[in-house]
Amino acid sequence: MGQKRTFCRICEAHCGMIAEYDEAGQLHKLRPDATHPVSQGFICAKGLKFLDIANHPNRVHTPLRRNSAGELQPCSWDEAYALIGEKLRHIIDEHGVHAVGIYFGTPMIHHSLLMLTLFQWLRAMGTRNLYSAASQDNANKLAAQKIIHGREWVMPIADIEHADFALLLGTNPLVSQGTFIHMPQGTKTYDALIERGGEIVVVDPRHSESAQRWKRHLSIRPGTDVYLLLAILHELRDLYPQDAPKGLDTLLTLAEAYPIPVASHLTSIPEAEITSLVAQFRSDKRCTIFNGVGVNQGRFGTLCLILIQAIAYLSGNFDVRGGILFHPWANILQLLVGIKPQVSRIGGFTSHAGGLPCGILADEILTTGEGQIRALIVIGGNPLTSAPDETRLRQAFEQLDLLVSIDIFQNQTGALADVILPGLTWLERFDIGAWDAMYETAPMLQTAARARKPIAETRSEVRIIAELSILSGKPIFWNRWLARLWARIGWDAMVPILLKPLQWLFSRRLQGADGFPWRRPMGGYYRGRRRKHLCFWDEKLDGEPERLAAFADELQRPRPEHTFLLLGRRRRLAQNSWIHNASREEKAKEACAWLHQDDMARLNLVDGALVEIRSTCGAIQLPVFCHDSVQKGTVIVPHGLPDVNVNRLISSDKTHIEPFSGMHQMSGHHVSIAQI
Ligand code: SF4
């Protein structure tokens, strides 16, 4: 019997956990760490169940290589590497570095050493073809921050902990903590705001779990958050200061077209409700705003995030406690993993930290010519399920000369791969929570030694990437010997031992947690000279007035008959398209669509009826249920389900890509529904 402190690395919250061992020294249980100074015993169902995932019989234990009969068969690391090395070198020699594409999934973001290694390989190789789940999730957050702060990683941190009023748009923290947010005590921070007499307003087309818990809900027409924010900004125009940052005036001019009556008409939120929101921001209360993926996945995610910060600025809630904060050390991340922006061959999109838009990945593979992608290395991700238009992407992946999946499971992308290389779970590796430290309010940088040794033939992703870099002839640090050393250093075993004495020095200050003291964002980062560099507009946004007007026109027209607006939702036990392999039974329960009762009646549907949901690019079949949280005219389908992949319904057409961020419009598409 024994125990070890660790932390969950599924999402940004990094909740503290205790790993418990049985008499034989085997890890047999994970439980919340009530003494953890930040999460204080909070843990969600995903974290609690992670040991089932790490021990799942479907885990890939050895490298797999496709044989001449087209089947994936176990092989040695040397055999797998021989195939990859030969093909990679040939592709680079014959077609250049851009013929190699790299995709990394969200789980890898929480693996700091891997990200450092991967970005070193990207620098050494120089391919422009980097992709990630960012363009389906949060690319517009990066784009907005680049415009306002000149840096992608200076994220706004909603200070829920000290706010009196919080406006939450398109986020459902009770089910998923949210992107780029790290809350002490998990969702209890929101409860505490209510308990101290504050108010939370949840703006969502659906009466979500969070809206039900924190009571005040504004049911908004899908995709129209931008008009609500413009109306609020317009009502704050008299607060425009003499020394306003660049671009704020342009934003206010844009907002003139959307006063409260117009916004009310477009959003379906009553005028009185919008007026009461404005009153909060005009009061002396500490007000914060946070937008989640529900807003990012619409058409105007970048503009929404800029408007949120402009509202905070005019109302005196920018860079202050209880409002929106910025981490003073956020720039460090930029230095470590920043790479030169690249321009895509297809569509001319400019890359950001998460790479190029996944919406063009199929075209980059299928379109012949110089720079056509011929090899794709996928690390901890499942683009076939998480990127738009599965059908076309499948066609593209089948055409690749080399597809490598580095993963703990054989997912849908892995099923098409030439080689699968088995990686580690976070229980089997050392980690430092550096990635999230740039936008969290915790006063510490957590570290965790591995909770158990790697199983079977699994291997650290850091080592795999360093070794692939050597095999490709483009070694990290531009040096084979350094790359070899980097690959062979036993990071997971050695670093915790080296750090131990250093951490001991801080153990009292960190109240027993493992790690190092870290600065909390306190407000006041943008004092003096720095404030002058803020900028709320960029010429890249010059097309926004027309796009806003066009969408407003579209909203006035009746929706084509018998169509619904498709909206996604997160699931309690899975993270996007990841870890569903470990929760098959739960997945079956979650694989259903939700409709409003009037729509169920109109379509003569009863609970559990099997329906086909069809868009212009594909169709899925699944049972449908009446759900009282759903707005009339919308259909809610969970995303990331492998067998009924909602992204099959989302076209990869470039008109759905936000031009300056590369973010794909993932929600609000028109679909039809028919009983089977
Ligand atoms: S909220 Fe859940 S998934 Fe996220 S870190 Fe905590 S336990 Fe893990």
Side-chain angles (χ1 to χ4, degrees):
M1 290 285 280
Q3 61 180 46
K4 223 183 222 180
R5 203 181 288 118
T6 186
F7 67 93
C8 175
R9 278 146 270 170
I10 298 176
C11 85
E12 285 90 328
H14 284 181
C15 300
M17 285 180 166
I18 300 291
E20 286 187 358
Y21 300 84
D22 61 17
E23 281 83 1
Q26 297 297 314
L27 174 60
H28 80 125
K29 190 178 172 191
L30 291 172
R31 63 174 166 84
D33 181 0
T35 64
H36 190 273
V38 181
S39 58
Q40 298 172 38
F42 175 84
I43 191 173
C44 81
K46 294 188 245 281
L48 209 53
K49 285 216 158 200
F50 194 78
L51 194 54
D52 294 350
I53 291 161
N55 291 338
H56 200 276
N58 286 358
R59 251 191 92 172
V60 184
H61 285 179
T62 62
L64 302 173
R65 194 172 81 152
R66 202 168 289 282
N67 63 17
S68 51
E71 291 158 351
L72 283 165
Q73 291 292 324
C75 66
S76 69
W77 279 95
D78 285 347
E79 287 168 327
Y81 277 176
L83 175 80
I84 297 171
E86 187 192 331
K87 286 204 174 187
L88 268 185
R89 277 193 305 275
H90 174 75
I91 288 168
I92 292 174
D93 289 348
E94 288 289 309
H95 306 287
V97 290
H98 300 306
V100 179
I102 291 183
Y103 177 99
F104 66 89
T106 307
M108 292 301 109
I109 286 174
H110 303 284
H111 188 350
S112 305
L113 260 178
L114 182 269
M115 292 312 290
L116 193 61
T117 311
L118 180 63
F119 277 76
Q120 288 305 323
W121 190 23
L122 285 162
R123 282 174 179 168
M125 182 157 48
T127 176
R128 64 170 162 252
N129 281 308
L130 171 68
Y131 299 86
S132 73
S135 60
Q136 293 88 266
D137 198 49
N138 54 42
N140 34 29
K141 285 205 166 179
L142 298 166
Q145 296 316 97
K146 183 90 193 276
I147 290 170
I148 300 179
H149 307 273
R151 294 274 188 274
E152 290 171 334
W153 290 111
V154 184
M155 281 292 152
I157 303 165
D159 190 10
I160 306 280
E161 227 181 323
H162 303 105
D164 303 313
F165 174 79
L167 180 61
L168 307 182
L169 302 125
T171 183
N172 189 7
L174 266 192
V175 172
S176 176
Q177 283 244 344
T179 309
F180 298 133
I181 193 161
H182 172 122
M183 230 21 88
Q185 285 188 286
T187 46
K188 287 186 196 153
T189 304
Y190 296 85
D191 294 336
L193 191 158
I194 301 285
E195 281 157 20
R196 63 175 179 267
E199 188 181 13
I200 296 175
V201 175
V202 179
V203 178
D204 201 300
R206 191 166 79 77
H207 192 211
S208 65
E209 293 77 359
S210 299
Q212 289 168 37
R213 171 121 153 201
W214 298 312
K215 302 290 184 264
R216 194 165 161 210
H217 171 228
L218 298 182
S219 178
I220 191 167
R221 205 167 173 187
T224 61
D225 310 72
V226 68
Y227 301 113
L228 172 67
L229 293 168
L230 282 163
I232 296 173
L233 186 76
H234 181 62
E235 292 301 318
L236 301 177
R237 60 194 180 280
D238 58 304
L239 302 174
Y240 183 79
Q242 289 262 307
D243 58 346
K246 274 184 283 177
L248 195 52
D249 51 345
T250 314
L251 217 46
L252 281 165
T253 307
L254 179 65
E256 276 172 18
Y258 303 98
I260 290 178
V262 176
S264 170
H265 180 63
L266 294 171
T267 60
S268 301
I269 295 178
E271 287 185 35
E273 295 282 12
I274 304 179
T275 306
S276 84
L277 291 181
V278 172
Q280 296 284 0
F281 285 101
R282 295 191 73 95
S283 72
D284 55 6
K285 287 182 187 165
R286 294 169 298 178
C287 300
T288 194
I289 322 182
F290 178 72
N291 82 284
V293 172
V295 173
N296 300 347
Q297 293 190 330
R299 301 185 196 201
F300 298 98
T302 307
L303 192 54
C304 283
L305 197 65
I306 293 173
L307 286 166
I308 282 172
Q309 289 167 85
I311 290 168
Y313 193 94
L314 286 183
S315 63
N317 291 294
F318 185 89
D319 194 22
V320 295
R321 195 174 147 100
I324 284 175
L325 299 172
F326 301 93
H327 203 288
W329 294 346
N331 281 337
I332 298 173
L333 197 58
Q334 196 83 32
L335 293 176
L336 289 177
V337 296
I339 44 171
K340 221 170 75 194
Q342 303 273 354
V343 177
S344 67
R345 183 175 67 116
I346 307 291
F349 293 98
T350 304
S351 70
H352 50 75
L356 291 165
C358 276
I360 60 164
L361 179 55
D363 284 344
E364 288 281 5
I365 296 170
L366 292 168
T367 311
T368 53
E370 207 184 321
Q372 178 185 8
I373 297 179
R374 291 160 192 273
L376 185 68
I377 316 285
V378 177
I379 308 146
N382 190 7
L384 194 66
T385 302
S386 67
D389 201 346
E390 181 191 323
T391 313
R392 189 159 161 72
L393 212 49
R394 181 179 291 277
Q395 189 193 344
F397 285 0
E398 282 169 352
Q399 190 182 299
L400 286 165
D401 295 341
L402 176 68
L403 176 58
V404 178
S405 166
I406 303 166
D407 212 289
I408 56 174
F409 289 114
Q410 179 187 317
N411 58 30
Q412 291 64 47
T413 304
L416 299 179
D418 299 292
V419 182
I420 300 180
L421 301 175
L424 305 182
T425 70
W426 47 264
L427 289 170
E428 292 134 17
R429 68 177 195 238
F430 160 79
D431 259 318
I432 185 160
W435 193 263
D436 302 333
M438 305 304 166
Y439 47 83
E440 67 186 10
T441 54
M444 59 184 289
L445 192 56
Q446 289 197 88
T447 59
R450 65 186 181 194
R452 70 176 187 192
K453 289 188 176 157
I455 53 170
E457 295 285 309
T458 58
R459 196 174 269 191
S460 145
E461 287 89 349
V462 173
R463 178 174 173 187
I464 297 173
I465 292 301
E467 288 173 338
L468 291 190
S469 80
I470 299 168
L471 291 171
S472 68
K474 304 287 177 189
I476 55 171
F477 310 118
W478 296 271
N479 184 300
R480 292 177 66 83
W481 301 109
L482 280 178
R484 201 180 299 276
L485 184 69
W486 188 266
R488 290 307 171 99
I489 289 176
W491 291 108
D492 298 318
M494 199 183 69
V495 181
I497 297 170
L498 294 177
L499 290 181
K500 201 95 194 150
L502 208 54
Q503 288 181 341
W504 178 81
L505 291 175
F506 302 116
S507 56
R508 181 174 291 184
R509 190 158 156 202
L510 295 181
Q511 299 161 39
D514 294 329
F516 302 97
W518 194 244
R519 264 189 79 175
R520 285 186 76 129
M522 307 287 281
Y525 176 69
Y526 274 110
R527 275 200 205 100
R529 220 156 46 87
R530 266 206 196 114
R531 211 169 180 95
K532 291 207 179 89
H533 292 296
L534 289 170
C535 177
F536 285 91
W537 192 262
D538 185 283
E539 59 183 22
K540 292 191 209 92
L541 299 169
D542 285 349
E544 288 304 78
E546 286 71 36
R547 284 210 315 135
L548 282 166
F551 186 44
D553 279 350
E554 189 183 319
L555 291 168
Q556 322 277 355
R557 294 193 292 272
R559 217 178 33 243
E561 223 181 330
H562 306 308
T563 63
F564 291 79
L565 288 181
L566 175 69
L567 302 179
R569 74 175 169 90
R570 291 205 186 260
R571 292 171 292 142
R572 204 174 63 88
L573 279 170
Q575 193 206 29
N576 305 331
S577 60
W578 193 54
I579 67 178
H580 51 74
N581 297 57
S583 53
R584 286 266 157 196
E585 320 79 51
E586 299 291 340
K587 184 208 74 181
K589 275 189 244 159
E590 291 184 318
C592 62
W594 292 347
L595 278 179
H596 187 274
Q597 58 180 6
D598 291 356
D599 291 325
M600 292 284 285
R602 194 162 55 83
L603 295 172
N604 284 325
L605 295 171
V606 292
D607 273 354
L610 194 62
V611 294
E612 180 177 88
I613 305 181
R614 179 168 285 282
S615 73
T616 51
C617 74
I620 55 172
Q621 297 180 351
L622 74 175
V624 66
F625 287 86
C626 170
H627 206 278
D628 55 12
S629 71
V630 179
Q631 202 179 86
K632 229 159 113 173
T634 63
V635 55
I636 313 278
V637 182
H639 74 259
L641 289 167
D643 306 328
V644 278
N645 179 13
V646 69
N647 294 357
R648 235 176 262 161
L649 304 174
I650 297 169
S651 158
S652 59
D653 192 299
K654 285 179 280 305
T655 56
H656 297 310
I657 301 176
E658 209 185 28
F660 30 82
S661 71
M663 179 76 197
H664 208 91
Q665 186 199 333
M666 301 296 287
S667 69
H669 295 276
H670 290 178
V671 292
S672 62
I673 301 175
Q675 185 162 13
I676 297 170

